[in-house]
Amino acid sequence: MLRVAVLGAGRIGKIHAANVAGNPKAKLVTVADPYGTAAKELADRLGCEASLDPGAAIERGDVDAVIIGTPTDTHVSLMLHAVRNGKAVLCEKPIDLDITKVDAAVLEVERLNGRVMVAFNRRFDPSARQLRRSIDDGEIGDVRQVIISSRDPGMPPREYVRHSGGIFRDMVIHDFDMARWLLGEEPIEVMATASRLVDPGLAEFDDFDTLMVQMRTASGRQCHINCCREAVYGYDQRMEIFGSTGMLLNENLRPTTVRRWGKAGTEARDPLLNFFLERYAEAYKAEFDQFADALESGSPLPTTPHDGRQALRLADCALESALTGRAVKV
Amino acid sequence: MLRVAVLGAGRIGKIHAANVAGNPKAKLVTVADPYGTAAKELADRLGCEASLDPGAAIERGDVDAVIIGTPTDTHVSLMLHAVRNGKAVLCEKPIDLDITKVDAAVLEVERLNGRVMVAFNRRFDPSARQLRRSIDDGEIGDVRQVIISSRDPGMPPREYVRHSGGIFRDMVIHDFDMARWLLGEEPIEVMATASRLVDPGLAEFDDFDTLMVQMRTASGRQCHINCCREAVYGYDQRMEIFGSTGMLLNENLRPTTVRRWGKAGTEARDPLLNFFLERYAEAYKAEFDQFADALESGSPLPTTPHDGRQALRLADCALESALTGRAVKV
Amino acid sequence: MLRVAVLGAGRIGKIHAANVAGNPKAKLVTVADPYGTAAKELADRLGCEASLDPGAAIERGDVDAVIIGTPTDTHVSLMLHAVRNGKAVLCEKPIDLDITKVDAAVLEVERLNGRVMVAFNRRFDPSARQLRRSIDDGEIGDVRQVIISSRDPGMPPREYVRHSGGIFRDMVIHDFDMARWLLGEEPIEVMATASRLVDPGLAEFDDFDTLMVQMRTASGRQCHINCCREAVYGYDQRMEIFGSTGMLLNENLRPTTVRRWGKAGTEARDPLLNFFLERYAEAYKAEFDQFADALESGSPLPTTPHDGRQALRLADCALESALTGRAVKV
Amino acid sequence: MLRVAVLGAGRIGKIHAANVAGNPKAKLVTVADPYGTAAKELADRLGCEASLDPGAAIERGDVDAVIIGTPTDTHVSLMLHAVRNGKAVLCEKPIDLDITKVDAAVLEVERLNGRVMVAFNRRFDPSARQLRRSIDDGEIGDVRQVIISSRDPGMPPREYVRHSGGIFRDMVIHDFDMARWLLGEEPIEVMATASRLVDPGLAEFDDFDTLMVQMRTASGRQCHINCCREAVYGYDQRMEIFGSTGMLLNENLRPTTVRRWGKAGTEARDPLLNFFLERYAEAYKAEFDQFADALESGSPLPTTPHDGRQALRLADCALESALTGRAVKV
């Protein structure tokens, strides 16, 4: 039975805490959040202890693993504190917005033989896993092109954007991780173009809302990513992998399979699931489940700090390309 | 080059005439219709002769085949006149509304070795042909159940209904033909239930607008047909064949493959094609093309007067079942 | 917090017990099954008590509600025992195979003001609920026709069939319940035809494996049901509702949304979910959840013993129709 | 009645000639091809005259319009010869592989007020027209991103590739035209990456087989194109347009709407239509039809030599970007 502390009782902390509580292999020991009553309320609902001190939660003798869902600028210190205390870590992405800090943290985790997994939740989505499995099974031969569409349902609040590190580091980082995972090779060149088509006011933060990224690997595989902060029709998450003997793609998820015909004569389907908490509910469950499984069996964790580092590096290269209009070598 | 006279210049005659004119294997010689200027207008548009006398058109020395698209009560006499003049015939369904008259006509055609094909256009639809071909290729093993949905976009005019012979003989007759064709065995028992849910006024004609038919064959295969004179969402034409090693079904046709997502978040597709002239445009072309091919090669015609007779017989049985509430042996 | 005893630790009992254990509104107190170690094993896994005596489990002071998942012939006595002890009941279908016994039990439950819900799990499937909600919202106007396809992936074991009460009472009973629920009116006439196309040996039990049912209501609404004990392509569960202003249908569920193109050029999708435990996993959860909600709020239970009785009555009529070849008045 | 000469009796000339012959608004006067018996055979089949001299065919007094389907390096001279003889022209793309020559030709056509349409057939595909119409109708608000997937079923013969002008000018030119048409603005910057993943031997021609292009317009709209010379699953032609109030995409076409379930449990659909002659059969018909309509009514031709020039310019920029690894300003 894995004994877990969840650090951070915000939107993502609540998801993790509920999944720990509902997983028969694990026990939710405590929830820690220094801000107000969030930890208390969450702990009461899930029947565990609450704390205002994440550091103390890490140090508890009855805690084997911690899940870090606190603000980004606290990730590195909490992660290293946990590793130094011999605790396994599931850390939300990004590790940090500063690649130098990330590089140092990754090195330190490796030096300490820390057990750290970075929470790239999309890899655990059942359709994404099927895509990866089909590639591994040779269904489509050699991968030639990967195409990722990733659009959020609406602009986040202004204050969120101000501290997010920008769309490349905050939002596209998930897609860079998927790209690496599906390409099966590291991108070596990044070309990006980015616009402010939703909110021209983003110029204040030198940020963008609509972008395309094009990458290639050493062997010539190619990847395209398109993103937008606002899609009025909902959270749009699709991937396509084109290979030498076939092609795979995943459709968006809907809550039901109902098809409707009405007076206009057209056929309609359900609206898309609203946003990542709904769309990736299964993925978050599976993510924690595989974390727990890997710790129990001693097998490698499915994602590593190095994965977190590489995704951030690609985000930095893409931002540089968007700002300079040049292709950037990784 | 097959030289053709089209008898009847109404809605269906126009379709046949245009298909003859556009088929490189055939020549449209004349269009004949005793009513007003319909033949003249159609002939002018397609560059052939016009006539007010279908009988004379049949007798022309430069005509090899006739297509009968006149009112139902003229079908038998024109068909037999053509056969007696040595002409091949493509005759619209039903042959007649009176099974006794149909039986006599079928016998006479057989006695004269006439070349007569009954225009069950739906058998020539590309998707229907693929269903039949997949069955023939053994894709689904032994057929167990056939399910046919057949709904018209809207009620026909009152005067049409008055002379139509009723929904079973006028509309469901197509579905009885499909049922026989897809089952691969003759139905031996028919159970029907019919209602007036669209227009209670149909009671005046002892007719119905909404019905279900259930049939079985000697070996126990089963068939369900559902029909309605009005589907606000368009002309709904679907078939499903369930077999021992698989299942097949065909979706409705749409004019394009465009998918649309809008503010409501739902996904929408094109409206269905409006009605049989649009939905079966390809089928009508292929029907005439196979008629011409069979005549040229001397091979059997794809549908026979016997097929026309059997479909009418099933319609009569279904009507009797709907009126009496009993299963009827064919 | 609803305190629950689960009676029966077989296939369906395991599902219910796990859903109780995972539902934050409920507490799984005990699992009772007189056969061997099943209750013990299940209880150990879910962290509750085990018992060999369902009657004693019902009588426990710390139990508010019981879920009956025992063999069919024990349903009535356990249900009445629970009601007499003031416990709420969620009872698996059918209540009994003998309509006389069912009628007596329904009367007794009503006399005692018992809180009993019959487990028609399919009503709680998200897509089924959406169909019902769309009807209630007037999306398709007046219901005209309901079409239900219901095929199992494979024949059950011979011993199961021997005691099942036959395909109409065992399998189609679910579809009769869906028909009543979706039609919004009681069927007044049933016509059925049934064959042995999968296993002729079923003649030994006077049972069938492939059937069609046709029903109508007093106002003329119609319903078709088709069933087969074996569909090689998987558990096929579809419904279509055709109304005066629109049409609805639900597609089968698949584990992912992946689409695949390979060398044959065709596009393929995931296999269907294997059988009812997988296909209706969400529905079973929602079923218990609504049971618990209704008990807590004191609102009517979503399904009643009367529903169980009516579905069985339709099954009996359909069997009679299949055996006699006549339409049967309900 | 438009009197037409078709120049070139190869694969594309045959399509055009058949469409002219089957169009009631036009008359096919002659087919001209200097090579062997191709013109003779085609003319015999379609019932028109044949010639070995395209120039003479242009000069005929009974010819109003010419369709140029000859080898690319003859396009400009035949086009100008026709314009100087007062004939309307439908010219296959590309106008020429050399942008200087194209620029001169475009200027000369404009100076002479020539009526010249460039054969970008895909604009006339029913689904493409619906996409454009939906954009024009404001269905999706302001266009933000266009995504075009364009994959051929297999490598063309080596000799074809040698003279094709390379993948960007030969194949992607169609997609550049679609991009301009759907974006509604001119791309001002092009980034391309190209590989030899199918046939490394293309290095001999400095050509590629797998590529991605990324473009942006002055207002910040973005476009992605992906292409490959070989997709084992068939001719893959899809487009997606993402806008401020919605999104549109078109699925690939299939010959039927049949869905199949078999023993593997998966659902399968028809293979894709093989290649451009089948996929765009309707589009070629509509292309000529709109050419004839525009000439008859005197309205502007739907595509112009300028469109041909712009698409070639984008192809040149993309090639330069792929070779240099830099973004190229148009």
Side-chain angles (χ1 to χ4, degrees):
Chain A
M1 186 72 78
L2 187 72
R3 298 169 300 173
V4 180
V6 170
L7 314 184
R11 194 163 58 166
I12 196 70
K14 280 175 188 153
I15 294 289
H16 286 303
N19 288 337
V20 175
N23 191 310
K25 301 170 194 153
K27 180 178 157 59
L28 180 64
V29 175
T30 184
V31 173
D33 192 311
Y35 299 103
T37 58
K40 181 78 172 58
E41 283 161 19
L42 181 56
D44 282 355
R45 185 144 51 77
L46 297 171
C48 71
E49 295 179 31
S51 154
L52 293 170
D53 182 351
I58 288 171
E59 293 157 20
R60 286 174 67 131
D62 60 352
V63 161
D64 306 311
V66 301
I67 300 180
I68 302 176
T70 52
T72 298
D73 57 4
T74 66
H75 287 180
V76 167
S77 63
L78 290 172
M79 179 201 297
L80 293 179
H81 189 58
V83 168
R84 285 175 191 135
N85 278 272
K87 307 301 165 77
V89 177
L90 174 59
C91 181
E92 273 303 318
K93 44 62 38 187
I95 298 174
D96 195 273
L97 295 173
D98 177 347
I99 190 99
T100 319
K101 239 178 121 185
V102 172
D103 280 341
V106 171
L107 272 178
E108 180 68 1
V109 169
E110 286 170 359
R111 199 182 62 80
L112 296 166
N113 285 318
R115 299 278 279 159
V116 178
M117 172 167 155
V118 174
F120 284 121
N121 59 293
R122 293 188 197 169
R123 292 199 191 191
F124 304 94
D125 175 60
S127 291
R129 279 188 286 177
Q130 183 55 57
L131 292 176
R132 184 65 248 177
R133 192 158 47 233
S134 291
I135 297 169
D136 292 342
D137 290 351
E139 271 186 42
I140 59 164
D142 295 324
V143 170
R144 290 177 181 168
Q145 296 182 319
V146 169
I147 291 154
I148 300 174
S149 294
S150 180
R151 298 171 190 147
D152 280 1
M155 285 293 293
R158 214 64 192 277
E159 273 318 289
Y160 177 90
V161 174
R162 183 187 304 276
H163 301 290
S164 75
I167 188 170
F168 286 101
R169 291 193 193 97
D170 163 55
M171 178 178 168
V172 198
I173 198 164
H174 278 292
D175 307 298
F176 285 119
D177 183 62
M178 292 309 302
R180 291 180 61 239
W181 191 54
L182 294 171
L183 280 167
E185 290 180 359
E186 291 291 337
I188 60 165
E189 190 180 67
V190 180
M191 292 168 159
T193 183
S195 308
R196 286 180 279 270
L197 297 179
V198 182
D199 180 2
L202 291 175
E204 181 188 344
F205 313 121
D206 292 323
D207 202 359
F208 306 97
D209 49 48
T210 307
L211 61 88
M212 284 187 171
V213 176
Q214 191 164 278
M215 305 192 289
R216 68 177 175 89
T217 69
S219 78
R221 296 180 182 186
Q222 298 154 4
C223 177
H224 160 78
I225 298 169
N226 64 71
C227 285
C228 188
R229 286 280 195 190
E230 179 201 72
V232 296
Y233 57 92
Y235 188 44
D236 188 357
Q237 296 278 299
R238 288 170 291 147
M239 292 178 284
E240 173 180 329
I241 305 108
F242 167 56
S244 57
T245 64
M247 195 262 280
L248 305 164
L249 61 79
N250 68 325
E251 292 276 344
N252 279 307
L253 282 187
R254 298 168 202 283
T256 79
T257 62
V258 173
R259 300 165 62 181
R260 302 153 187 228
W261 285 259
K263 273 191 178 156
T266 57
E267 179 190 338
R269 313 240 173 168
D270 269 9
L272 303 183
L273 292 165
N274 179 52
F275 204 9
F276 65 97
L277 296 181
E278 295 87 357
R279 168 64 184 84
Y280 289 111
E282 281 301 309
Y284 284 114
K285 280 200 187 82
E287 178 185 70
F288 175 70
D289 200 58
Q290 293 198 23
F291 175 66
D293 278 353
L295 292 181
E296 188 185 2
S297 67
S299 57
L301 289 161
T303 62
T304 64
H306 176 71
D307 291 322
R309 190 270 174 200
Q310 289 301 91
L312 182 65
R313 175 71 184 119
L314 292 173
D316 285 354
C317 291
L319 176 59
E320 183 187 338
S321 176
L323 292 173
T324 63
R326 285 183 294 102
V328 173
K329 305 285 177 201
V330 182
Chain B
M1 185 74 78
L2 187 72
R3 297 168 301 172
V4 180
V6 169
L7 314 184
R11 195 164 55 168
I12 195 72
K14 280 176 189 153
I15 294 289
H16 286 303
N19 287 338
V20 175
N23 190 310
K25 299 169 195 154
K27 179 176 157 59
L28 179 65
V29 175
T30 183
V31 173
D33 193 312
Y35 300 103
T37 57
K40 180 78 172 62
E41 282 162 19
L42 181 56
D44 283 355
R45 186 142 52 76
L46 296 172
C48 72
E49 294 179 32
S51 156
L52 293 171
D53 183 350
I58 287 171
E59 293 157 19
R60 286 176 68 131
D62 60 351
V63 161
D64 305 313
V66 301
I67 299 178
I68 301 176
T70 53
T72 297
D73 58 4
T74 67
H75 287 181
V76 167
S77 62
L78 290 172
M79 180 201 297
L80 293 179
H81 189 58
V83 169
R84 286 174 190 136
N85 278 273
K87 308 302 165 76
V89 177
L90 174 60
C91 182
E92 272 302 319
K93 43 63 39 188
I95 297 174
D96 194 273
L97 295 175
D98 177 348
I99 188 101
T100 320
K101 239 179 120 187
V102 172
D103 280 341
V106 171
L107 273 178
E108 180 68 2
V109 168
E110 285 170 1
R111 197 183 63 82
L112 295 166
N113 285 318
R115 300 278 278 159
V116 178
M117 171 167 156
V118 174
F120 284 121
N121 57 295
R122 293 189 198 167
R123 291 200 192 191
F124 304 93
D125 175 60
S127 290
R129 279 189 286 177
Q130 183 56 55
L131 292 177
R132 184 66 248 178
R133 192 159 45 234
S134 291
I135 297 169
D136 292 342
D137 290 351
E139 270 186 42
I140 59 164
D142 295 325
V143 169
R144 290 178 181 167
Q145 296 181 319
V146 169
I147 291 154
I148 299 176
S149 294
S150 180
R151 298 172 188 146
D152 280 1
M155 286 294 292
R158 215 61 191 281
E159 273 318 287
Y160 177 91
V161 174
R162 184 186 303 275
H163 302 289
S164 75
I167 188 170
F168 286 101
R169 293 195 192 95
D170 164 55
M171 179 177 166
V172 198
I173 197 163
H174 277 293
D175 306 300
F176 285 120
D177 183 63
M178 293 309 302
R180 291 181 62 238
W181 191 54
L182 294 171
L183 280 167
E185 290 181 358
E186 291 292 337
I188 60 164
E189 191 180 68
V190 180
M191 294 167 158
T193 184
S195 310
R196 287 180 277 272
L197 298 178
V198 182
D199 179 2
L202 290 176
E204 182 189 343
F205 314 121
D206 292 322
D207 202 0
F208 306 97
D209 50 47
T210 307
L211 62 89
M212 284 188 172
V213 177
Q214 191 164 279
M215 305 191 291
R216 68 178 174 88
T217 70
S219 79
R221 296 179 183 188
Q222 299 154 2
C223 178
H224 159 77
I225 298 170
N226 64 71
C227 285
C228 189
R229 285 279 196 193
E230 179 201 71
V232 298
Y233 58 90
Y235 189 45
D236 188 357
Q237 296 278 297
R238 288 169 292 146
M239 292 178 286
E240 173 179 330
I241 305 108
F242 167 56
S244 58
T245 64
M247 195 263 279
L248 305 164
L249 62 80
N250 68 325
E251 293 276 345
N252 280 306
L253 282 187
R254 299 167 201 284
T256 79
T257 61
V258 173
R259 300 166 62 183
R260 301 151 189 230
W261 285 259
K263 272 190 177 158
T266 58
E267 180 190 336
R269 312 240 174 170
D270 269 9
L272 302 184
L273 291 165
N274 180 51
F275 205 9
F276 66 96
L277 297 180
E278 295 86 357
R279 169 63 183 83
Y280 289 112
E282 281 301 308
Y284 283 114
K285 280 200 186 81
E287 178 186 69
F288 174 70
D289 200 59
Q290 293 198 23
F291 175 66
D293 278 353
L295 293 181
E296 188 184 3
S297 67
S299 56
L301 289 162
T303 62
T304 66
H306 177 72
D307 291 322
R309 190 267 175 202
Q310 290 300 90
L312 182 64
R313 176 72 184 120
L314 292 173
D316 285 353
C317 293
L319 176 58
E320 183 187 337
S321 175
L323 292 174
T324 62
R326 286 184 293 104
V328 174
K329 305 283 176 204
V330 182
Chain C
M1 187 71 79
L2 187 72
R3 298 167 301 173
V4 181
V6 170
L7 314 183
R11 194 165 57 168
I12 196 70
K14 279 176 189 153
I15 293 290
H16 286 303
N19 288 337
V20 175
N23 191 311
K25 299 169 195 154
K27 179 176 157 58
L28 179 64
V29 175
T30 182
V31 174
D33 192 313
Y35 299 103
T37 58
K40 179 80 172 59
E41 283 160 19
L42 181 57
D44 282 356
R45 187 144 49 78
L46 296 172
C48 71
E49 295 178 31
S51 155
L52 293 170
D53 182 352
I58 288 170
E59 294 157 18
R60 285 176 68 133
D62 60 351
V63 162
D64 306 311
V66 302
I67 300 179
I68 302 175
T70 52
T72 298
D73 58 4
T74 66
H75 287 181
V76 167
S77 62
L78 290 172
M79 181 200 297
L80 293 178
H81 189 58
V83 168
R84 285 173 191 135
N85 278 272
K87 307 301 166 76
V89 176
L90 174 60
C91 181
E92 271 304 318
K93 43 65 37 191
I95 297 175
D96 195 89
L97 295 173
D98 177 347
I99 188 102
T100 320
K101 237 179 122 186
V102 171
D103 280 341
V106 170
L107 272 177
E108 179 68 1
V109 168
E110 285 171 359
R111 198 182 62 81
L112 295 165
N113 285 317
R115 299 278 278 158
V116 178
M117 171 166 154
V118 174
F120 284 121
N121 59 293
R122 293 189 197 167
R123 293 200 191 189
F124 304 93
D125 175 59
S127 290
R129 278 188 287 177
Q130 182 57 55
L131 292 177
R132 184 64 249 178
R133 192 159 47 233
S134 292
I135 297 170
D136 292 342
D137 291 350
E139 270 186 41
I140 60 164
D142 294 325
V143 170
R144 290 177 181 168
Q145 297 182 319
V146 169
I147 290 153
I148 299 176
S149 294
S150 179
R151 298 173 188 146
D152 279 2
M155 285 294 292
R158 215 62 191 280
E159 274 316 289
Y160 178 91
V161 174
R162 183 186 305 276
H163 301 290
S164 74
I167 188 170
F168 286 101
R169 292 194 193 95
D170 164 53
M171 179 178 166
V172 198
I173 198 164
H174 278 293
D175 306 299
F176 285 119
D177 183 63
M178 292 310 301
R180 292 180 62 238
W181 191 54
L182 294 171
L183 280 167
E185 290 181 359
E186 290 292 338
I188 60 164
E189 191 180 67
V190 180
M191 294 167 157
T193 184
S195 309
R196 287 181 278 271
L197 298 179
V198 182
D199 180 2
L202 291 176
E204 181 188 344
F205 314 121
D206 292 322
D207 202 0
F208 306 97
D209 50 47
T210 308
L211 62 89
M212 283 188 174
V213 177
Q214 191 165 279
M215 306 191 289
R216 67 178 174 88
T217 69
S219 78
R221 296 180 183 187
Q222 299 154 2
C223 177
H224 160 78
I225 298 170
N226 65 71
C227 285
C228 189
R229 284 280 196 192
E230 178 201 73
V232 297
Y233 58 91
Y235 188 45
D236 189 357
Q237 295 277 299
R238 289 170 290 145
M239 292 178 286
E240 173 180 329
I241 305 109
F242 167 56
S244 57
T245 63
M247 195 263 279
L248 305 164
L249 62 79
N250 69 323
E251 293 276 343
N252 280 307
L253 283 187
R254 299 167 200 284
T256 79
T257 62
V258 173
R259 301 165 62 182
R260 300 150 189 232
W261 285 259
K263 271 190 179 157
T266 57
E267 179 190 336
R269 313 239 174 170
D270 268 9
L272 302 184
L273 291 164
N274 179 52
F275 205 10
F276 67 97
L277 297 181
E278 295 86 358
R279 169 64 183 82
Y280 290 112
E282 281 301 309
Y284 284 114
K285 280 200 186 83
E287 179 185 67
F288 174 70
D289 200 59
Q290 293 198 22
F291 175 66
D293 278 353
L295 292 181
E296 188 186 2
S297 66
S299 56
L301 289 161
T303 61
T304 65
H306 176 71
D307 291 322
R309 189 269 174 202
Q310 290 300 91
L312 182 64
R313 175 72 184 119
L314 292 173
D316 284 354
C317 293
L319 177 58
E320 183 186 337
S321 176
L323 292 173
T324 63
R326 287 183 292 102
V328 174
K329 305 286 175 200
V330 182
Chain D
M1 186 73 79
L2 187 72
R3 297 168 301 172
V4 179
V6 169
L7 314 184
R11 193 163 58 167
I12 196 69
K14 280 176 187 153
I15 294 289
H16 286 304
N19 288 337
V20 175
N23 191 311
K25 299 169 194 153
K27 180 177 156 58
L28 180 64
V29 175
T30 184
V31 172
D33 192 312
Y35 299 103
T37 58
K40 179 80 172 60
E41 283 161 18
L42 181 57
D44 282 355
R45 186 142 52 77
L46 297 171
C48 71
E49 295 179 32
S51 155
L52 293 169
D53 183 351
I58 288 170
E59 292 158 17
R60 286 175 67 131
D62 60 352
V63 162
D64 306 313
V66 301
I67 299 179
I68 301 176
T70 53
T72 298
D73 59 4
T74 67
H75 287 181
V76 166
S77 63
L78 289 172
M79 180 201 295
L80 293 179
H81 189 58
V83 169
R84 285 173 190 135
N85 277 273
K87 307 300 166 77
V89 176
L90 174 59
C91 181
E92 272 302 318
K93 44 60 43 189
I95 298 175
D96 194 272
L97 295 174
D98 177 349
I99 189 102
T100 320
K101 238 179 121 185
V102 172
D103 280 341
V106 171
L107 272 177
E108 180 68 2
V109 169
E110 285 171 358
R111 198 184 61 82
L112 295 165
N113 285 318
R115 300 277 280 157
V116 178
M117 172 166 153
V118 174
F120 284 120
N121 59 295
R122 293 189 198 168
R123 292 199 191 191
F124 303 94
D125 174 60
S127 289
R129 278 189 287 177
Q130 182 58 54
L131 292 176
R132 183 66 249 178
R133 192 159 45 234
S134 291
I135 298 169
D136 291 342
D137 291 351
E139 270 186 42
I140 58 164
D142 295 324
V143 170
R144 289 177 181 168
Q145 295 183 319
V146 169
I147 291 154
I148 299 175
S149 294
S150 179
R151 297 170 190 149
D152 281 1
M155 284 294 292
R158 214 62 191 281
E159 274 317 288
Y160 178 91
V161 174
R162 183 187 304 276
H163 301 290
S164 74
I167 189 171
F168 285 102
R169 293 194 192 97
D170 164 55
M171 179 177 167
V172 198
I173 197 164
H174 277 293
D175 306 299
F176 286 120
D177 182 62
M178 291 310 301
R180 290 181 61 238
W181 191 54
L182 294 171
L183 280 167
E185 290 180 358
E186 291 292 336
I188 60 165
E189 190 180 68
V190 180
M191 293 168 159
T193 183
S195 309
R196 286 179 279 271
L197 298 178
V198 182
D199 180 2
L202 291 176
E204 181 190 344
F205 313 121
D206 292 324
D207 202 1
F208 306 97
D209 49 47
T210 307
L211 62 88
M212 284 187 172
V213 176
Q214 190 164 279
M215 305 192 290
R216 67 177 175 89
T217 70
S219 79
R221 296 180 183 187
Q222 298 155 1
C223 177
H224 160 77
I225 298 169
N226 64 73
C227 285
C228 187
R229 286 280 195 191
E230 180 201 69
V232 297
Y233 58 92
Y235 189 44
D236 189 358
Q237 296 277 299
R238 288 170 291 147
M239 292 177 286
E240 172 180 331
I241 306 109
F242 167 56
S244 57
T245 63
M247 195 262 279
L248 305 163
L249 61 79
N250 68 325
E251 292 277 344
N252 279 307
L253 283 186
R254 299 169 202 282
T256 79
T257 62
V258 173
R259 301 165 61 181
R260 301 151 188 231
W261 285 260
K263 270 189 178 156
T266 57
E267 179 190 336
R269 314 240 172 168
D270 269 8
L272 302 184
L273 291 165
N274 179 51
F275 204 10
F276 65 97
L277 297 181
E278 295 87 357
R279 169 64 184 84
Y280 289 112
E282 281 301 308
Y284 283 114
K285 280 200 186 80
E287 178 186 70
F288 175 69
D289 200 59
Q290 292 198 24
F291 176 66
D293 278 354
L295 292 181
E296 189 185 1
S297 67
S299 57
L301 289 162
T303 62
T304 65
H306 176 71
D307 291 321
R309 189 267 174 201
Q310 291 299 91
L312 182 64
R313 176 72 185 120
L314 292 174
D316 285 355
C317 292
L319 176 58
E320 183 185 338
S321 176
L323 292 173
T324 62
R326 286 183 293 104
V328 173
K329 305 284 177 202
V330 182

